[in-house]
Amino acid sequence: MKLPSDKVIRGPERAPNRSLFYALGYTEEQLKRPLIGIISAYSEIVPGHMNLDKISQSVKAGILMNGGTPIIIPSIGVCDGIAMGHVGMKYSLPSRELIADSLESMAIAHGLDGLVLVPNCDKIVPGMIMGALRLNLPTILISGGPMLAGQNESGSLSLSSLFEAVGSYKSNMITETELSEIEQCACPSCGSCAGMYTANSMHCLTEAIGLALPGNGTTPEPYSARQRLAKASGVAIMELLRNDIRIKDIINEKSIRNAITCDMALGCSTNTVLHLLAIATEAGIDVDLRMFNEISEKTPNLCHLAPAGPTRMEDLFFAGGVAAVQKELAKKDLLDLDLLTVTNKTIRENIAPIEKKDNGAIRDINNPYSEVGGLAILYGNIAKYGAVVKRSAVADEMLKHEGPARVFNSEEDAINTIYEGGIKPGDVVVIRYEGPKGGPGMREMLNPTSALAGMKLDKSVALITDGRFSGASRGAAIGHVSPEAALGGAIGIIKEGDIISIDIPNYQLNLKISEDEFDNRMQNFTPEVTNTVTGWLNRYRRMVTGSHKGAVLE
């Protein structure tokens, strides 16, 4: 079988190339074996990535055991928690494109024959997958895994607990000492933050789509089982190479439908919509946003992990993980079980030995939290191309809501008013000019949603934005409103005090003014994008598509 590395290190004309490999310490025997790139996002700035050097070394051992030559190559990665609430968050989603571009560059420039992707947090997972899809090499993903939940006298904690605690402190519900105590114990270990936030959502969906070994979605990062899984992934990549099973043999329209189905059952982050759309685009698959509602309508929601409920990622792990959820879904024929995965077996074969443990993390499919899935796409005169809400994290009393708009043209303006106590029960907070172009970068709004939750307003106040939300957000938090204000979207014509109507069960989001008034405002609307950016964010602003297309670059 011809390999990409043949063009780099075979034949007398490639003697200079081989000489550089020898300078790296590779032997002649190593260069006779396939070159497997381990794309590692290890760094000392992201808690989810601080242990990826060990994960990568375990992958390396697995590749060596099965006849390959492993080569570790670094990747960048932004920590959303550290970037949250300031200008740094503008760089978070755009970094997904940088990661994809850099992976493509390194793999082609050095003639890699296969890829093991070692990400952990949020954009790094889809960014690596997007880059790998451009190459269509044998590929497997082993993420770092979730953080263990924190603990204090009130129970289990995670990062979202701390963001909400800030809101409680600002409204004098807790003391500074109590805030400090939560701060010290909310994040107790390495790993991606301990809830069904975006990173853990993507770990689970990568397993569901077939690109990762069973256990990838939920095995905690501190557990030695994660190291064993990494070694098994190193072994598996060599089998994929020998059998010429490539990433596009795994990721296709049917496997993406499977991933969306698991998304609905698990109650994943709203950001999975952006990332699955972007992955589908790179795979050459047309996925319309309405597919999410179509699948949601027939997929029961089986999990209420934090922030939607009290269970944590390790609870899901002990209950049987993603495979146990898949087995529940299979009871009603909601998955295509005959799709190939990186185990070189089908989903049906992978889940056959799994038994769901009854610890409360996964409900039986005949006793779900709801008969419909965890996410919903809303449409209406405010959101012609759609908006996204994590329905499973919305209180029942907020599934339908009407209230006066409180309008802000930036996250900073909104959070200041929230902290000052300027938002009242019944209000609908509108934050605009935070979309892919308007931001630019489509910042997450965890600070506003968490402040509202900490002030006990999450069951009486809604928030809509053309930006997005962290997977740690809960409440009636509706994001990805498209078209965004910067592109002339109707979210830009909302005025202070206008009545906003939210009807999540019927997938509706509307501004309650007359058609004549709506048309008149739209005709006279000129977007007010006043924030200037420099560097590559300026280029990103010019090239990025709308959120309904996954915010990919044109």
Side-chain angles (χ1 to χ4, degrees):
M1 180 173 62
K2 279 284 189 182
L3 296 173
S5 61
D6 291 343
K7 296 179 180 179
V8 176
I9 55 175
R10 303 281 177 258
E13 67 276 13
R14 295 302 177 207
N17 308 58
R18 290 193 296 274
S19 180
L20 292 168
F21 276 92
Y22 295 145
L24 288 162
Y26 292 98
T27 66
E28 188 174 353
E29 177 58 33
Q30 283 179 295
L31 296 189
K32 291 178 181 177
R33 300 175 182 180
L35 305 183
I36 307 298
I38 302 170
I39 313 301
S40 173
Y42 165 73
S43 76
E44 295 181 345
I45 193 61
V46 187
H49 294 185
M50 62 184 281
N51 207 41
L52 293 189
D53 56 340
K54 298 177 180 64
I55 298 285
S56 300
Q57 288 299 325
S58 292
V59 171
K60 193 173 182 178
I63 294 169
L64 289 169
M65 283 190 286
N66 206 10
T69 295
I71 303 172
I72 295 177
I73 297 171
S75 168
I76 65 166
V78 171
C79 177
D80 278 13
I82 294 174
M84 194 71 66
H86 59 92
V87 68
M89 182 49 74
K90 292 179 183 289
Y91 287 84
S92 177
L93 181 61
S95 72
R96 186 186 69 183
E97 314 307 310
L98 285 183
I99 291 163
D101 291 348
S102 60
L103 187 151
E104 174 190 359
S105 301
M106 293 298 288
I108 293 177
H110 301 99
L112 301 180
D113 300 317
L115 298 171
V116 182
L117 311 179
V118 189
N120 210 36
C121 294
D122 210 339
K123 269 67 57 195
I124 300 90
V125 180
M128 286 189 183
I129 295 172
M130 290 162 65
L133 281 164
R134 298 174 190 174
L135 307 169
N136 198 26
L137 295 171
T139 303
I140 192 169
L141 185 145
I142 168 70
S143 56
M147 181 184 290
L148 296 173
Q151 297 287 334
N152 69 1
E153 66 278 2
S154 64
S156 64
L157 300 170
S158 63
L159 187 65
S160 61
S161 308
L162 189 55
F163 276 97
E164 292 179 13
V166 173
S168 297
Y169 170 72
K170 291 284 187 179
S171 54
N172 298 313
M173 293 180 180
I174 63 172
T175 66
E176 187 173 356
T177 299
E178 289 171 314
L179 177 63
S180 179
E181 288 173 355
I182 298 171
E183 176 184 338
Q184 293 297 323
C185 59
C187 299
S189 73
C190 60
S192 47
C193 297
M196 190 54 84
Y197 311 150
T198 307
N200 289 323
S201 295
M202 291 308 300
H203 301 165
C204 290
L205 297 190
T206 302
E207 182 179 335
I209 213 168
L211 193 63
L213 296 180
N216 180 73
T218 57
T219 306
E221 184 162 354
Y223 286 9
S224 295
R226 179 60 70 170
Q227 301 296 332
R228 296 196 296 273
L229 193 64
K231 289 177 183 176
S233 299
V235 171
I237 187 62
M238 297 308 299
E239 296 305 316
L240 292 171
L241 184 65
R242 291 184 183 112
N243 291 291
D244 196 25
I245 298 172
R246 300 166 183 257
I247 189 170
K248 287 188 179 180
D249 296 321
I250 304 293
I251 297 181
N252 51 52
E253 184 175 355
K254 291 181 179 179
S255 67
I256 286 178
R257 289 187 70 92
N258 273 357
I260 296 172
T261 301
C262 289
D263 193 334
M264 296 301 171
L266 288 161
C268 291
S269 162
T270 53
N271 285 314
T272 59
V273 176
L274 281 175
H275 298 328
L276 287 174
L277 288 171
I279 287 168
T281 297
E282 293 289 356
I285 301 163
D286 184 22
V287 176
D288 186 89
L289 261 182
R290 294 183 187 275
M291 181 189 292
F292 288 82
N293 284 348
E294 172 219 322
I295 293 173
S296 179
E297 279 294 311
K298 57 187 179 184
T299 306
N301 177 227
L302 305 180
C303 301
H304 264 194
L305 292 115
T311 48
R312 304 288 174 177
M313 291 305 297
E314 61 255 44
D315 298 318
L316 182 57
F317 169 68
F318 287 121
V322 174
V325 174
Q326 290 174 309
K327 201 157 188 177
E328 286 299 309
L329 293 170
K331 291 178 180 178
K332 291 194 174 181
D333 298 322
L334 294 173
L335 295 175
D336 189 330
L337 299 178
D338 296 319
L339 300 183
L340 186 65
T341 72
V342 289
T343 63
N344 204 15
K345 298 177 181 178
T346 64
I347 296 170
R348 188 186 307 277
E349 292 172 300
N350 289 345
I351 68 175
I354 301 298
E355 295 296 333
K356 177 171 73 72
K357 307 297 191 302
D358 188 17
N359 68 351
I362 306 170
R363 284 199 173 182
D364 187 276
I365 198 161
N366 294 312
N367 181 36
Y369 284 101
S370 68
E371 294 293 341
V372 292
L375 297 181
I377 312 299
L378 310 185
Y379 294 91
N381 61 10
I382 298 174
K384 180 180 178 181
Y385 299 150
V388 185
V389 62
K390 188 171 182 175
R391 171 166 44 190
S392 59
V394 179
D396 288 344
E397 55 265 46
M398 291 299 292
L399 290 171
K400 291 187 177 183
H401 178 77
E402 287 189 4
R406 302 299 312 281
V407 182
F408 305 94
N409 286 346
S410 72
E411 178 190 8
E412 287 83 359
D413 289 347
I415 194 65
N416 288 338
T417 299
I418 293 170
Y419 283 158
E420 290 167 1
I423 301 301
K424 306 301 180 187
D427 286 348
V428 178
V429 177
V430 178
I431 305 177
R432 59 197 183 193
Y433 296 105
E434 290 286 6
K437 283 186 182 289
M442 204 178 183
R443 286 193 289 181
E444 290 184 344
M445 304 289 155
L446 180 55
N447 275 351
T449 57
S450 297
L452 292 171
M455 294 173 174
K456 310 302 181 187
L457 291 171
D458 55 299
K459 294 182 179 180
S460 61
V461 171
L463 194 156
I464 69 172
T465 180
D466 51 12
R468 59 195 179 97
F469 295 108
S470 165
S473 294
R474 62 186 174 98
I478 301 165
H480 308 198
V481 171
S482 185
E484 61 177 291
L487 287 175
I491 190 174
I493 67 168
I494 300 172
K495 294 181 179 180
E496 187 80 7
D498 282 346
I499 300 301
I500 306 293
S501 173
I502 298 166
D503 185 349
I504 295 173
N506 292 303
Y507 306 108
Q508 289 292 307
L509 177 64
N510 287 288
L511 172 61
K512 294 192 74 175
I513 58 176
S514 70
E515 287 188 22
D516 287 346
E517 173 67 11
F518 184 91
D519 292 342
N520 183 57
R521 288 191 195 180
M522 289 298 292
Q523 289 170 9
N524 292 287
F525 173 48
T526 301
E528 300 176 13
V529 183
T530 58
N531 60 330
T532 58
V533 289
T534 57
W536 79 275
L537 273 187
N538 187 34
R539 183 169 70 250
Y540 179 86
R541 170 176 272 171
R542 294 197 308 270
M543 299 174 67
V544 71
T545 62
S547 57
H548 65 288
K549 293 184 177 180
V552 296
L553 299 185
E554 292 180 320

